[in-house]
Amino acid sequence: MQIELQHPHDWSVSPDEAKQIQKRLASAVAETPLPDTVETVAGVDVSVRDDTAQAAVAVLRLPDLEVVDEAIHRCAVPFPYVPGLLSFREMPAVLPALKKLDVAPDVFVTDSHGRAHPRRFGLACHLGVLLDVPTIGVAKSILVGEPEGNLGTGKGHRVPLVDDSETVGTVLRTRTDVNPVYVSVGHRCTLDDAADLMLDCSPTYKIPEPTRQAHKLSRRTEA
C-alpha cells in the first residue's frame, strides 16, 4: 500500500509537544459519510512486549469477513506510555506495517479511540488525518465521557457517549448481554456510519472481526 502523509511531523517529541500536535491536527478531522460501497475493512492493533512493539494489520472483505491481506511490523517502542498519547507510541510501528499491504483498504478500524479523547484526537483520528482515509476507533473502555441514557441488553442497542455536553462517541452493544464497545469517529465517517459498519463487522464476537483478527496477528510470535 502506498502511503503519503498529509500532515507529517516529528515523532521524537516530548509529551507536551505531542499534546500540541494533537490539538493542532484535531481541526483536520472530517465527519463525512462513508462511501456507499465499503468492500474492505482493515483492523489495526499493536502489541508491546518488553521494549518491542509489534503492529499488525488484517484486511477483511465484506460481507463474509474473509481475511484477504495482512501485514506485521516490529520495532523498538518509540514513546513512553502516557494516557491520551497512544498514537505516539504505536503509529511509528503501524505506518511501516501498512506499507507492506498489497490491498488498500476502504476503511481502517483501530483498537483505540478517535474523537472520544481528551483532545478529540485519538489514534484513529491520527491515522485517518495523516493518511486522509476513513477511520473508526473501537475501544473496550472509556477514556473520556459518560453514557447518556440506559443501554438496552440486545445486540445493536446504542446510546451516546457524552463528554462536556458533546457527543464524542457511541456506546454500542455488539453482542446481547455482553459488555459494549465504544465507537468514535476517526476521520471521514459519521458516528452513525461507524456504528452501523461495526455491527456488520461483529457477527459473532464482542470485538469487531477486523480488530479481533489484527489483535491475534499482533501477538504472533513469528512474522
Side-chain angles (χ1 to χ4, degrees):
M1 175 182 170
Q2 188 173 359
I3 289 178
E4 183 177 347
L5 298 185
Q6 302 301 306
H7 302 271
H9 61 77
D10 193 357
W11 295 101
S12 252
V13 295
S14 69
D16 285 343
E17 290 169 327
K19 291 175 184 178
Q20 290 305 312
I21 291 171
Q22 289 179 330
K23 291 176 182 178
R24 174 169 57 85
L25 294 182
S27 62
V29 173
E31 297 194 23
T32 54
L34 287 174
D36 291 337
T37 302
V38 174
E39 295 183 353
T40 52
V41 179
V44 178
D45 192 34
V46 179
S47 290
V48 176
R49 298 183 186 87
D50 299 322
D51 296 324
T52 301
Q54 180 162 300
V57 187
V59 184
L60 282 61
R61 180 186 291 119
L62 295 170
D64 59 351
L65 299 174
E66 173 192 3
V67 177
V68 295
D69 199 4
E70 59 184 32
I72 289 174
H73 179 78
R74 290 194 190 108
C75 66
V77 176
F79 196 86
Y81 175 75
V82 180
L85 297 179
L86 184 68
S87 61
F88 287 85
R89 186 172 171 85
E90 297 192 353
M91 284 280 286
V94 169
L95 294 175
L98 295 178
K99 292 180 180 179
K100 298 178 182 181
L101 293 176
D102 295 320
V103 175
D106 296 321
V107 179
F108 293 80
V109 184
T110 66
D111 180 27
S112 63
H113 291 283
R115 295 289 255 173
H117 180 274
R119 288 167 291 282
R120 306 298 186 255
F121 199 74
L123 193 153
C125 296
H126 211 151
L127 177 63
V129 165
L130 283 189
L131 302 185
D132 193 25
V133 293
T135 53
I136 298 167
V138 180
K140 296 181 284 292
S141 60
I142 293 175
L143 183 59
V144 294
E146 295 290 340
E148 185 177 82
N150 295 318
L151 182 66
T153 59
K155 177 174 180 173
H157 285 224
R158 64 184 80 174
V159 297
L161 179 66
V162 178
D163 181 49
D164 196 20
S165 301
E166 178 185 358
T167 297
V168 295
T170 294
V171 184
L172 179 66
R173 190 89 68 185
T174 52
R175 284 193 69 192
T176 297
D177 291 327
V178 172
N179 287 339
V181 295
Y182 303 92
V183 179
S184 57
V185 169
H187 185 53
R188 289 178 52 185
C189 68
T190 67
L191 191 51
D192 284 343
D193 282 353
D196 290 343
L197 181 58
M198 290 305 92
L199 277 178
D200 290 341
C201 290
S202 307
T204 306
Y205 299 97
K206 165 186 168 176
I207 304 302
E209 199 63 17
T211 46
R212 196 179 79 86
Q213 291 294 335
H215 179 71
K216 289 168 58 178
L217 189 62
S218 76
R219 299 184 69 81
R220 186 181 292 177
T221 55
E222 294 182 1

